Amino acid sequence: MIKISNETCHWLLSADEPYISYNVKQFLKMPTDRSELIDDPFIRENINLLTSWNKEKLKNHSRPQLLIHRLALLADLGVKAEDAPVRPVIESILKDINLEGIPLVLMEIPEVFGGSGKTEKAWMLCDFPVTLGALLKMGVKSDKLHKGLLVLENFVRENGYGCGASILNFKGPGRKDDFCPYANVLAARTLSETPEGLKSRAAERACESLLFHWENRGQKKHFLFGIGTDFMKLKYPYVWYNILHVSDVLSRYEYLHNDKRFIEMINTIIDKTDETLRFKPESIYMVYKAMDFGNKKEYSRLLTLSVLKILKRIGRI
C-alpha cells in the first residue's frame, strides 16, 4: 500500500489550470465547482473544435488532434452530456450514428488497403469504439449507443478483436486471424463503461489478448503493434497503444487486479516515480506541448493524477 504525502497533495492542488484543479479536487474528494471545469479555456477550445465533427477527414488514427480523440479526452477530464456547451456537439455526433448503432466518420481509405481512395462515411474498429466509449462515459442516453455496444461485443473472436471496418475489402497491416492490440484496448475501454460490458465475454477476451501480448512481449508484433521502448513510455492523453493506456483500461476490471501480468505492468509504472509519487511524461504529443502533460523535463500533475487514479482503483493507495 502506497501513501500519498501531504506534499504531493499540495503540489497537485497548486495547478494553475482550472480543469486540472477540478479533477484533482474530485480525486481527493474535495468540494468542486462545475464551472471551474466547463469554463476552462482548454476545455472550451476542445469543445469548439468539435463543432467541425462532420467536416474532418480521418486518414491516420494515431493523430492526437483527431476529433474522436479530443472527444475522448473531454470525457476523461469529466465533461458530461448535460453540460450546456457540449450538448450541440453531442446532438451532431448522434446524427452520424447508423441504424446498427455505429458512429460514422469521414475517412479516406487507400486502394492498397481495400478502400476506394475516395472520401466516404465509414467506420473501423480503431475509431468507432473511441466515439462510442466517450459518449457512454459522458452519460449520453440513447438506444443507438446500446445497439452499438451489442455490435461491438459481437465482433469479438476467441483471441480477442481483429481488424474490421465497414469497407468491404478493407485489410489492415496484419494477418487476418491475428488480434489487433489497439482494437482490443479500445474495445475493452468502451465495454467498461457499462455494468453489462464489464461482465461481458467480449471484454474478457479483449483483456486476455492484451495480457497475452504483454506476457509474450518482444516475440511478435500484431498489426505492427509491439511492446518495446515506445510502449513503455508514460504518455497522456490516452490516444495510442502504450503502457499507461493499457493499464488504465485493465484496471477497470476488478477480477484482473491480482493477475500476475497486470501487476507487472503496474510495477513497471510505479518504478518510474520520484520519492513523492510524481511522474514525468516520457513521450509527448507535440500538439499538446504547451500543456502540463507536454513537457518531458517537468513533473506533470495530470499525468500523475492519471497514474494515481489507476493505483486507487486497484487498491494500491
Side-chain angles (χ1 to χ4, degrees):
M1 188 71 72
I2 303 169
K3 181 178 173 60
I4 305 177
S5 68
N6 287 334
E7 179 185 355
T8 301
C9 289
H10 289 313
W11 173 73
L12 288 168
L13 287 166
S14 68
D16 292 328
E17 304 91 339
Y19 76 96
I20 297 180
S21 176
Y22 174 87
N23 277 275
V24 169
K25 289 174 186 174
Q26 276 216 322
F27 177 75
L28 296 175
K29 299 189 181 302
M30 297 172 64
T32 54
D33 179 355
R34 192 83 188 145
S35 64
E36 187 177 11
L37 175 70
I38 302 306
D39 293 338
D40 178 89
F42 180 65
I43 298 296
R44 287 284 186 164
E45 176 191 2
N46 280 281
I47 292 175
N48 289 337
L49 287 168
L50 287 175
T51 59
S52 299
W53 184 270
N54 296 312
K55 300 175 183 177
E56 181 181 67
K57 183 165 60 177
L58 194 157
K59 290 184 178 181
N60 184 338
H61 289 80
S62 67
R63 297 173 68 228
Q65 60 266 50
L66 287 175
L67 298 184
I68 59 170
H69 295 314
R70 290 186 184 274
L71 180 72
L73 175 59
L74 288 172
D76 191 53
L77 293 174
V79 174
K80 297 297 181 185
E82 65 264 24
D83 294 323
V86 82
R87 285 179 205 157
V89 169
I90 290 175
E91 290 174 5
S92 176
I93 295 172
L94 289 175
K95 289 177 183 177
D96 271 331
I97 295 182
N98 67 14
L99 293 176
E100 294 179 293
I102 301 179
L104 304 176
V105 292
L106 284 174
M107 63 174 66
E108 186 179 297
I109 305 299
E111 293 182 14
V112 68
F113 291 119
S116 65
K118 300 177 181 178
T119 301
E120 56 188 311
K121 283 191 176 182
W123 61 263
M124 295 174 65
L125 272 175
C126 43
D127 56 67
F128 101 72
V130 178
T131 304
L132 185 63
L135 294 176
L136 288 168
K137 192 176 186 68
M138 286 180 165
V140 176
K141 305 296 182 185
S142 171
D143 290 340
K144 291 181 178 180
L145 302 189
H146 179 68
K147 287 182 181 179
L149 207 58
L150 292 177
V151 169
L152 180 60
E153 287 187 34
N154 289 332
F155 275 124
V156 79
R157 307 179 310 205
E158 192 58 34
N159 66 339
Y161 285 85
C163 194
S166 58
I167 293 93
L168 184 62
N169 297 314
F170 175 76
K171 182 186 182 303
R175 294 177 54 184
K176 187 176 180 180
D177 57 349
D178 270 355
F179 64 84
C180 174
Y182 186 56
N184 279 281
V185 75
L186 295 182
R189 186 172 90 182
T190 299
L191 292 167
S192 74
E193 295 300 338
T194 69
E196 299 79 16
L198 275 169
K199 300 174 184 176
S200 66
R201 174 183 173 273
E204 180 184 344
R205 300 316 308 157
C207 291
E208 179 56 33
S209 77
L210 295 172
L211 290 167
F212 174 85
H213 196 212
W214 170 266
E215 188 176 21
N216 295 277
R217 57 194 179 277
Q219 294 187 20
K220 177 183 177 180
K221 287 187 176 182
H222 298 260
F223 284 89
L224 304 182
F225 291 99
I227 293 183
T229 304
D230 287 342
F231 176 89
M232 296 296 186
K233 293 177 180 177
L234 298 184
K235 195 172 191 177
Y236 187 87
Y238 301 130
V239 171
W240 210 227
Y241 188 66
N242 55 58
I243 191 168
L244 193 60
H245 192 178
V246 174
S247 296
D248 175 79
V249 170
L250 294 177
S251 71
R252 304 175 186 202
Y253 294 87
E254 189 174 351
Y255 75 94
L256 294 177
H257 291 179
N258 293 318
D259 188 290
K260 180 179 69 173
R261 297 163 295 179
F262 175 60
I263 292 172
E264 286 178 351
M265 278 193 210
I266 295 300
N267 288 339
T268 299
I269 293 173
I270 292 174
D271 286 345
K272 298 173 182 287
T273 186
D274 72 347
E275 65 279 2
T276 61
L277 205 60
R278 298 181 302 171
F279 294 85
K280 290 179 181 179
E282 296 176 305
S283 179
I284 62 170
Y285 294 111
M286 291 306 292
V287 69
Y288 294 125
K289 65 180 180 179
M291 310 309 297
D292 156 87
F293 45 90
N295 185 345
K296 291 188 286 185
K297 296 181 180 180
E298 301 290 339
Y299 291 103
S300 163
R301 290 173 177 82
L302 197 55
L303 180 69
T304 296
L305 183 62
S306 299
V307 176
L308 294 181
K309 285 180 179 178
I310 295 171
L311 297 180
K312 183 177 182 181
R313 199 178 289 145
I314 65 175
R316 293 286 290 269
I317 58 172

